[in-house]
Amino acid sequence: MIPAQFDYAAPATLDEALSLLAERPDDAKILAGGHSLIPAMKLRLAQPALLIDIGRVKDLSYIREEGGQIRIGAMTTHYQLESSERLREICPLLPECAASIGDVQVRNKGTIGGSLAHADPAADWPAAIISLRAELVAVSSRGERVIAADDFFVDMLTTALRPDEVLREIRINAPGGRTGQAYMKVHHPASGFAVVGVAVSLTLGADGKCSAAGVGITGVATKAYRAAQVEGALVGSTPDEQTTASAASHAADGVDANGDIYASADYRRHLAVVYARRAIAEAVAKIK
Amino acid sequence: MARYVGQRVKRTEDPRLIKGLAHYVDDIRLPDTLHVAFVRSIYAHARINGVDAGEALKAPGVVAIFTGKDVSEKIGPVPCASALPELKVPDHRVLATDKVYFVGHPIAAVVAADAYAARDAAELLMIDYEELPAVVNAEEAAQGGAVIHEQFGSNVAYKLTAGEGDIVAALASADRRIKQRIINQRLAPVAMEPRGVLARYLPGEQELTVWSSTQIPHLLRTQLALMIGIPENKLRVITPEVGGGFGSKLNVYAEEALLGWISMQLGRPAKWIETRRENMQATIHGRGQVGEIEIGCKADGTVTGLRYNVVADLGAYHQLLTPAIPTLTGLMLSGAYKIPAIQINVTGVFTNKMATDAYRGAGRPEATYVVERAIDLVAAELGLDPVAVRRRNFPAPEEFPFKTATGLFYDSGNYEGALAKALENAGYERLREEQRAAREQGRIVGIGVSTYVEICALGPSQAMPAGGWESATVRIEPTGTVTVLTGASPHGQGQETSFAQLAADELGVDMGDVTVVHGDTAIVQYGIGTFGSRATAVGGTAVFVAIEKLKEKASKIAAHMLGTDAVNVVFAEGVFSIKETKKAAAAAGDGKAADADSDEVPEPVVPVGEGPAGALPEPETEGRKKVSIQEVALAAHLARELPPDTEPGLSATYFFEPKNFTFPFGTHIAVVEIDRETGEVKFQRYVAVDDCGRVINPMLVDGQVQGGIVQSIGQALYEEVVYDEQGQLITGTLMDYAVPRAKMIPWFELDRTETPTDVNPLGVKGVGEAGTIGATPAIVNAVVDALSPFGVRHIDMPIRPEAVWRIINSSDE
Ligand SMILES: Cc1cc2nc3c(=O)[nH]c(=O)nc-3n(C[C@H](O)[C@H](O)[C@H](O)COP(=O)(O)OP(=O)(O)OC[C@H]3O[C@@H](n4cnc5c(N)ncnc54)[C@H](O)[C@@H]3O)c2cc1C
C-alpha cells in the first residue's frame, strides 16, 4: 500500500527534533518504530506532511535506575524491555507486558514511547504504565513537564501530549517489599492486540495484607483505565480467592465498553472481570 | 527403482525462496514501466452519474486515465466458464460503467510514471455516486427486495436440483428425521502474495507479454486473447514465482485484461500490484453457503437419505467458476457413506459483494461439513458414538468402485482402515474415558471425528469447463540433463521437486540433472494448471507417460548403438543394456575379464570446457553391451547414426486425459477443551490419517495436510468475511480478518494409509485440499461434543469464544 507524499527529517539531536516540531506542530509527526504510524500512512489514514525520525537521536533508548526510579527512554524497543534481565528482577511486569506485544519483528522495531504516544485503545503498554503509576516526561522547545499516567491517556488515540511535545522518558517507582506482578491478555485473533489486557502490581505488608495495588486495564474501553474500585477492594485486605474474586468483579464497573465482531461490549466487560481475577491471583502467587 | 520417489526430498524451490532470490511479479522490473492504480467503489451499490478525471489528469506523472466508458467497447467481458441450465450471466465489464455493484468494484484505472503518482492521482478522481439500497443478505435477496441486475427481474442467478434416489420416500421411511440450519461462512483466500500483473506490448513485434500471479497461465492466455482481441499466438503469459493462490488465482480478472490492453494503448510496460486491501475487497472469496440439512436414519444409525437446501451467496458477478462451486458441493454429499437417496437444491443468488469462487476445496469443504455434521447429529439423536454411526454407513473395501447417489464412482477406498488407524493413534477409547473424568471435574472437553472423502485429480474433460487433461514434455538435452515441461504450473506446491523425483527415478538420472519448467506459455506446451488437487495425479501422470514414450524411442536408439534389436534391450538405473539370455549369461561367466572394459558405463558426456565448442564427441559404442541414457541422448541429437525411420532428438510430449476423478479419504480427530469462564477453545490434540494414494514425497504431503488443517482451523474458529448492512466490508484488513497464526495452531499428529487408485498409472490421488476438507468438521464436532452437556447439537462457524460463553452462561448442564 502506498502512503501519500511526505517530507522526512532525521535530526541528530532532540533539540533539533523539537524545533522542527515546533515549526510545524500541525502537520509534522514524530517517527519512532513506525509500527503504528507507517501502517496508518499506508492506508492513508494518516497523512503527515513531515516525518521527524527520532531514531538517530542519541540517548533516547535506555533502561536506568536513578533516584529509586526505573527510567526508560521513549525509544526503548519492546524487545529491549522484554529481554532486560534487570527488569525481570525488579519489575517483571514490564518484560511480561512487552513479550505479549505482536511478534518478534514488531517487538524489535516498536518502542514503548511510540506505543504510549499512539494510545491505541487496545495497546498493551498503557495498562502496565497505569498499574505502575508511572510518570511520563514530555519535552518541547518550551521546556519539560511530567505527566502522571492517569492523566496521560485522554481518549482513543489521544494523549495529554501537546502537538509540539515529544515523550522523552517513562519513570516508574521501583516496587519494593513483597510485590507480585502479572500481565494477562486475550489476544485479538486478527490484530494480536488486547481484546482485554489486565496489568496488576500488588504489594503485601508484613501482616500479609495488601498494602498497595495497581490495576490497569486496556482493550475494554476507548482508553486504558485504572480499575480504582478493584484496587480499593484489595488494599487492606488479604488477597485470598474470595477477596480476589470480589475485588475483580468491579473491573469494568461504570466502563463504557467497546464492541466489535469478535467481542461485544458485554463480553469484554465479562473478560475484564475474569482476567482481572486471574491476573491478581497470579500476581499474588508470584510473591515470594 | 525408487531412489527418490517416496523419500522426504527437500524442496529444491526453497533455497531461492528463503534467500529472497525468487522473482515474483513485482520483482520483475522493466525500463520505462508505467504504474496503474485503480479507483474502486466505496459503495456496495450505487449509480454512477459521472466521473470527473479533470484534476487527476493534471496531477504530476499521470499519463492516462481510463474509465468504464473508455474501455467497455474495447475489452470483452470477464469470463465465466460454468454453464448451468438457465444461468443468468450479467455482463461483467472490466470497469464499472453506469453502476457499481460491490465495494472494491473497479471504476477507473489511473496510469502514471510511478506507483505513488498513480495512487495520489487516483485520490483526485471525483465520482458522482447515487447510492442504491445494498443487497447483502443472500437469503433475503432470494426472496425479493431490491434487484441488483434489473434485466433479470430478481436476484436469483440459477436454481438447480441434483441427486438420485427417491428422497421423499427415503426420508419418510426413516425412523428419525433431523433438520439443521447450517452455514459455511464467506472466507477470504488471503494468498501471501497478492495478485499482480505486468504487461509489455512490443509495437514492432506486435507481441504482448503478460506476467501474472496466476494458477492457470494457458487458460489465462486464451481468455485474455479473446478479451483484448489479440491473436493468441501473439500473446505470452508468464507466471513467475507465485506466492500462493488457494484457488483465488484460478481465475481471469478484469485487471489482467486491463493491464494488457493499457500496455497496448500506450506502447509501454504497465504494472499493477494488488494491495492487501484490494485483495480483501476484489479478489474472489470462498464458501458463502447458508442451508438446511435434513437427514433421515434408522434406529441403528443407518442413513436413509440426505437433503440439502442451500442458498449460495454468489456476489455481484460471476467470476470464472462462481456458479459451479455449489454443484461440487452437491456431488460430494454422499461423503464416505452409503446413502441411498441424496438431493441438493441450490439457489444461487446475486448480492452486492465480491464474487465467491474456488477457495481451497471449492465446494467440497462445504459438502463435507454438511455430511460430517449430519452424521454427528444422527449420533446425538440416537445416543450413539459418532464413530459407530460412521462405521455403520461405510462402504466396505470390496464394494469399490462404489457408486454414490450423487452420480460418482469412487475409485478405491478403505475407510475403516484410515479410521482404525486414527482411532488407535489418538487412543480414542482412552480419550473418551478421560473426557468422562474431566466432565466430572467440571471441565469442558470434546472429541470430534470426521471421516471425509474428497474428489481430486480434476478431472475428466467431460466434467470440466475448459479441459481436464494435463500435459508434459520431457527432453534429454545433448549434454544429458533432463528438462521437464509441465502444464500444471504450481504456486507453492513443490512440483519442481516432486516431478523431478519422478523423472529422475524413471530415467535413472540424478535429481540434480532434472529441471522442471513451468508457467511460460512461450516455452511450455498448452496446459491446464494447478488446482483441484490435480497436479500430480494428472500432471505427474503426463510426465510419467511422456517418459515412457521417450524411453521407448531411446531404447530403439540404444539397440542400434549396441548393434541389436530393441526387444533385446533392457533399461535400468539410467542404462540400456543387452538382455542377458541364458547362453549369454553363461558366456559372460567365462569371458568376464575380456569384457570388463566395454562393460563399464562411462561418465555422462559433458563437453563444456572440453574440446572445441560445437564438436561433440560421438559416443564410443564399439563392442559395448551398455549405453547410458545420456549417451543415447547425445547420439539422438548428433543423429549421425540413428536407426531407420527415427527422428533426431530425444523428447516426448504427452497429454493425459484421466478417465475418472480420484477419491482420497481419511479420518481427522480433534480434541478440544473449552475455558468455562471465557468460552475460549483450546486444542488438546490433533490427529489425522490421510490416504491420498501413492505418495511421491511424504514431506510435501505433510506440508499440504498441515497447511490445509491450518486453513480449516481458520474457518472453524476465526475467519469470516463480514459485510455490514450497507455492504461495507468490515474485515477489510488483516487487523480485522483473522488468519490463524502459528501460536493458534496445535501440534499435528499426522499419519497415512496408502490405498492406490487405478485411475492413473502412478496410483496417486491428490492431497492439496484434504486438510481444508477433513479438518473443519472435526473441529466443529469436537466443540459441539464438548458443549453437548449443555444441550448443544450444533454451533455456527467461526466459533467465537463469546458465542460459546453465552451458551455456557445461559444454560444449566
Ligand atoms: C503486526 C503488528 C502487531 C502489533 N501488535 C501489537 C500488540 O499486540 N500490542 C500492542 O500494544 N501493540 C501492537 N502493535 C503496535 C506496536 O507495538 C507499535 O510499535 C506501537 O504501537 C507504536 O510504537 P512505534 O515505536 O512503532 O511508534 P510509531 O509508529 O513510530 O509512532 C506511533 C505514534 O506515536 C507518535 N510518537 C512516537 N514516538 C513518540 C514520542 N517519543 N513522542 C511523541 N510522539 C511519539 C508518532 O508520531 C505516531 O503518531 C503491533 C503493530 C504491528 C505492526
Side-chain angles (χ1 to χ4, degrees):
Chain A
M1 300 189 197
I2 295 163
Q5 196 170 325
F6 57 88
D7 292 331
Y8 174 84
T13 67
L14 190 55
D15 283 345
E16 264 179 79
L18 293 174
S19 65
L20 276 172
L21 191 56
E23 275 167 34
R24 303 167 69 171
D26 297 329
D27 64 0
K29 278 247 171 238
I30 296 292
L31 177 69
H35 270 47
S36 288
L37 183 54
I38 304 283
M41 288 170 65
K42 290 197 328 192
L43 293 171
R44 297 194 174 217
L45 299 172
Q47 304 201 3
L50 169 65
L51 281 190
I52 306 170
D53 185 346
I54 55 172
R56 293 188 201 161
V57 174
K58 288 209 179 56
D59 205 30
L60 280 179
S61 165
Y62 53 83
I63 302 166
R64 284 182 201 139
E65 288 167 75
E66 224 175 281
Q69 282 187 322
I70 301 166
R71 298 193 168 176
I72 300 166
M75 285 297 284
T76 310
T77 63
H78 310 323
Y79 178 74
Q80 286 172 307
L81 289 151
E82 175 189 3
S83 57
S84 161
E85 290 297 335
R86 184 64 187 147
L87 283 183
R88 268 183 220 171
E89 278 167 36
I90 60 172
C91 194
L93 176 57
L94 292 170
E96 202 181 323
C97 181
S100 79
I101 296 174
D103 50 40
V104 182
Q105 291 96 318
V106 173
R107 296 197 288 275
N108 264 322
K109 292 299 286 180
T111 67
I112 184 169
S115 173
L116 295 172
H118 190 60
D120 189 297
D124 295 294
W125 280 125
I129 286 319
I130 287 173
S131 77
L132 293 168
R133 297 185 156 76
E135 295 168 346
L136 297 100
V137 180
V139 282
S140 70
S141 46
R142 294 171 291 120
E144 193 166 285
R145 66 183 179 122
V146 175
I147 308 168
D150 279 351
D151 303 327
F152 187 77
F153 303 101
V154 174
D155 203 345
M156 176 139 77
L157 305 178
T158 312
T159 68
L161 287 176
R162 300 191 183 114
D164 66 343
E165 280 180 328
V166 167
L167 176 59
R168 188 175 67 77
E169 185 178 80
I170 296 105
R171 296 177 180 168
I172 294 158
N173 291 320
R178 300 172 64 207
T179 296
Q181 301 180 326
Y183 183 65
M184 283 204 152
K185 167 182 181 182
V186 178
H187 292 259
H188 188 282
S191 72
F193 278 71
V195 175
V196 167
V198 183
V200 173
S201 182
L202 187 146
T203 307
L204 292 186
D207 55 359
K209 294 208 165 107
C210 172
S211 58
V215 180
I217 299 182
T218 188
V220 178
T222 48
K223 60 169 184 161
Y225 62 91
R226 167 182 307 290
Q229 278 170 280
V230 180
E231 293 175 354
L234 286 171
V235 174
S237 71
T238 311
D240 55 16
E241 210 180 308
Q242 209 184 338
T243 317
T244 302
S246 86
S249 69
H250 300 294
D253 281 4
V255 172
D256 190 4
N258 301 325
D260 62 13
I261 54 170
Y262 182 71
S264 70
D266 278 350
Y267 181 58
R268 271 195 162 77
R269 269 194 292 270
H270 168 74
L271 287 178
V273 170
V274 171
Y275 277 86
R277 196 197 72 228
R278 292 180 181 180
I280 296 166
E282 191 177 300
V284 171
K286 282 184 190 163
I287 297 175
K288 282 163 205 130
Chain B
M1 197 68 181
R3 183 171 157 206
Y4 299 110
V5 168
Q7 305 299 314
R8 305 181 78 87
V9 176
K10 280 193 185 166
R11 284 164 38 109
T12 50
E13 293 90 338
D14 285 346
R16 68 171 188 264
L17 296 172
I18 292 167
K19 292 180 198 163
L21 298 175
H23 289 86
Y24 298 87
V25 173
D26 200 21
D27 296 312
I28 296 165
R29 306 276 154 106
L30 300 178
D32 230 15
T33 296
L34 295 168
H35 293 259
V36 177
F38 288 96
V39 177
R40 294 177 184 276
S41 176
I42 56 170
Y43 293 110
H45 195 190
R47 199 177 303 284
I48 301 179
N49 290 327
V51 177
D52 178 359
E55 279 300 304
L57 274 168
K58 282 186 244 154
V62 170
V63 173
I65 294 176
F66 299 103
T67 65
K69 292 214 166 56
D70 302 322
V71 301
S72 56
E73 301 293 308
K74 312 263 170 56
I75 305 176
V78 178
C80 167
S82 29
L84 294 173
E86 292 171 53
L87 174 68
K88 310 263 189 322
V89 182
D91 186 20
H92 183 180
R93 294 287 144 182
V94 292
L95 291 174
T97 47
D98 306 328
K99 274 186 181 180
V100 283
Y101 291 116
F102 60 98
V103 169
H105 193 166
I107 298 170
V110 178
V111 190
D114 62 58
Y116 296 89
R119 180 41 51 206
D120 286 347
E123 308 271 305
L124 299 175
L125 235 76
M126 306 288 278
I127 316 283
D128 180 3
Y129 294 102
E130 181 187 328
E131 223 186 320
L132 298 168
V135 178
V136 182
N137 180 304
E139 284 176 295
E140 286 166 23
Q143 302 306 318
V147 172
I148 297 174
H149 302 290
E150 282 151 1
Q151 68 274 31
F152 302 139
S154 92
N155 291 316
V156 175
Y158 71 98
K159 281 183 185 262
L160 183 127
T161 293
E164 295 170 12
D166 185 344
I167 186 68
V168 176
L171 291 173
S173 73
D175 292 334
R176 304 277 182 94
R177 292 165 71 155
I178 308 153
K179 280 191 180 180
Q180 178 62 52
R181 183 179 159 82
I182 194 158
I183 297 172
N184 264 284
Q185 78 273 31
R186 235 179 211 260
L187 300 176
V190 199
M192 201 178 297
E193 183 209 16
R195 293 187 290 130
V197 189
L198 169 64
R200 179 192 57 195
Y201 184 66
L202 298 175
E205 291 80 353
Q206 299 187 3
E207 277 171 13
L208 175 65
T209 303
V210 173
W211 288 262
S212 184
S213 185
T214 182
Q215 299 172 223
I216 45 167
H218 282 96
L219 299 183
L220 180 64
R221 186 189 71 188
T222 303
Q223 294 298 333
L224 289 185
L226 294 170
M227 288 171 82
I228 309 174
I230 184 171
E232 192 172 359
N233 56 5
K234 291 288 185 190
L235 175 58
R236 174 181 185 182
V237 171
I238 301 177
T239 64
E241 207 75 62
V242 178
F246 310 115
S248 71
K249 296 170 183 171
L250 160 56
N251 227 305
V252 176
Y253 286 99
E255 294 90 344
E256 291 170 312
L258 263 164
L259 267 281
W261 183 83
I262 286 171
S263 178
M264 289 175 75
Q265 299 307 301
L266 302 176
R268 287 170 67 179
K271 185 188 253 189
W272 164 73
I273 301 296
E274 188 183 52
T275 65
R276 182 60 66 192
R277 176 156 280 203
E278 287 178 299
N279 181 256
M280 299 304 283
Q281 289 182 344
T283 287
I284 61 103
H285 296 153
R287 319 282 190 262
Q289 292 187 2
V290 180
E292 188 187 60
I293 318 173
E294 188 170 6
I295 187 165
C297 63
K298 298 283 185 199
D300 66 357
T302 306
V303 175
T304 59
L306 175 71
R307 178 157 55 199
Y308 181 43
N309 295 328
V310 58
V311 172
D313 174 0
L314 303 176
Y317 283 121
H318 301 322
Q319 282 282 343
L320 197 64
L321 302 169
T322 301
I325 303 303
T327 65
L328 272 166
T329 305
L331 280 180
M332 290 315 293
L333 279 180
S334 196
Y337 313 107
K338 295 193 279 188
I339 304 179
I342 295 175
Q343 189 182 67
I344 184 170
N345 298 297
V346 186
T347 307
V349 178
F350 293 115
T351 54
N352 287 123
K353 304 182 203 167
M354 182 58 199
T356 48
D357 202 307
Y359 165 51
R360 201 169 189 176
R364 295 108 86 203
E366 294 89 318
T368 308
Y369 182 64
V370 162
V371 177
E372 291 301 299
R373 283 300 307 125
I375 295 289
D376 263 35
L377 288 168
V378 167
E381 175 77 18
L382 300 174
L384 296 173
D385 188 302
V387 169
V389 177
R390 287 178 165 79
R391 284 191 159 130
R392 175 153 307 281
N393 292 285
F394 277 166
E398 56 277 9
E399 288 179 71
F400 288 86
F402 167 75
K403 184 176 181 307
T404 68
T406 60
L408 294 172
F409 283 90
Y410 289 179
D411 54 344
S412 64
N414 180 358
Y415 302 159
E416 174 57 35
L419 173 63
K421 195 165 189 177
L423 294 176
E424 193 192 320
N425 291 357
Y428 185 72
E429 292 305 325
R430 204 180 58 244
L431 284 174
R432 286 284 177 209
E433 278 162 31
E434 286 168 8
Q435 181 185 35
R436 273 189 289 276
R439 279 183 176 161
E440 271 163 28
Q441 297 164 16
R443 288 162 56 204
I444 308 176
V445 174
I447 304 161
V449 178
S450 142
T451 51
Y452 73 92
V453 172
E454 66 141 331
I455 181 169
C456 276
L458 309 186
S461 294
Q462 240 62 314
M464 301 280 291
W469 45 268
E470 196 48 87
S471 68
T473 296
V474 178
R475 291 200 299 257
I476 307 187
E477 313 295 356
T479 53
T481 56
V482 178
T483 306
V484 175
L485 311 178
T486 174
S489 181
H491 47 286
Q493 290 81 359
Q495 275 108 290
E496 287 176 31
T497 306
S498 56
F499 286 10
Q501 286 176 260
L502 187 65
D505 272 354
E506 292 303 321
L507 291 169
V509 303
D510 284 343
M511 241 188 97
D513 286 337
V514 183
T515 287
V516 178
V517 178
H518 55 81
D520 184 340
T521 62
I523 297 176
V524 179
Q525 70 291 335
Y526 206 95
I528 304 297
T530 293
F531 55 86
S533 300
R534 69 192 305 278
T536 312
V538 190
T541 299
V543 172
F544 176 82
V545 182
I547 291 173
E548 293 293 299
K549 281 176 66 179
L550 178 140
K551 285 198 294 196
E552 210 172 291
K553 176 174 178 183
S555 170
K556 276 190 207 146
I557 299 171
H560 189 72
M561 290 165 79
L562 295 173
T564 182
D565 290 336
V567 288
N568 297 327
V569 168
V570 289
F571 180 71
E573 286 164 35
V575 176
F576 292 95
S577 51
I578 298 176
K579 214 187 277 179
E580 296 217 339
T581 58
K582 271 182 199 150
K583 213 170 113 193
D590 307 336
K592 217 172 191 163
D595 271 359
D597 258 358
S598 53
D599 232 24
E600 291 265 297
V601 179
E603 290 291 298
V605 188
V606 184
V608 182
E610 294 173 15
L616 297 181
E618 187 84 39
E620 275 300 326
T621 53
E622 240 345 88
R624 300 248 321 264
K625 289 186 175 166
K626 298 181 175 183
V627 283
S628 72
I629 194 158
Q630 291 89 348
E631 289 176 289
V632 173
L634 179 58
H637 284 90
L638 294 175
R640 293 188 196 115
E641 249 187 282
L642 290 180
D645 302 327
T646 305
E647 290 172 48
L650 193 54
S651 108
T653 296
Y654 192 73
F655 288 64
F656 175 63
E657 168 67 40
K659 290 196 180 58
N660 190 2
F661 304 98
T662 62
F663 296 87
F665 56 91
T667 297
H668 284 222
I669 300 178
V671 185
V672 301
E673 176 153 8
I674 291 170
D675 186 322
R676 176 177 286 273
E677 286 184 303
T678 64
E680 289 159 292
V681 175
K682 295 218 165 61
F683 286 97
Q684 302 280 309
R685 299 271 302 279
Y686 197 95
V687 176
V689 173
D690 294 282
D691 191 321
C692 57
R694 188 160 157 245
V695 170
I696 298 207
N697 186 330
M699 193 158 65
L700 294 187
V701 168
D702 285 353
Q704 288 296 321
V705 172
Q706 287 164 348
I709 300 172
V710 169
Q711 284 176 309
S712 266
I713 292 174
Q715 173 162 25
L717 301 181
Y718 303 114
E719 296 183 39
E720 180 178 22
V721 173
V722 181
Y723 286 91
D724 72 7
E725 282 171 15
Q726 280 74 48
Q728 288 297 327
L729 182 60
I730 301 297
T731 49
T733 74
L734 292 178
M735 295 293 271
D736 317 289
Y737 186 86
V739 178
R741 313 296 158 86
K743 69 177 169 207
M744 299 151 145
I745 306 303
W747 181 254
F748 299 137
E749 302 168 49
L750 304 183
D751 205 343
R752 266 188 288 283
T753 57
E754 259 190 54
T755 308
T757 177
D758 58 12
V759 173
N760 60 66
L762 295 178
V764 304
K765 287 192 167 184
V767 73
E769 293 147 299
T772 46
I773 290 167
T776 313
I779 299 162
V780 176
N781 286 348
V783 175
V784 172
D785 182 51
L787 294 174
S788 59
F790 301 91
V792 171
R793 290 261 175 104
H794 181 74
I795 185 168
D796 282 325
M797 303 183 292
I799 305 174
R800 297 198 179 101
E802 176 166 1
V804 177
W805 168 70
R806 286 189 186 281
I807 288 167
I808 297 170
N809 214 24
S810 66
S811 58
D812 347 285
E813 241 163 300

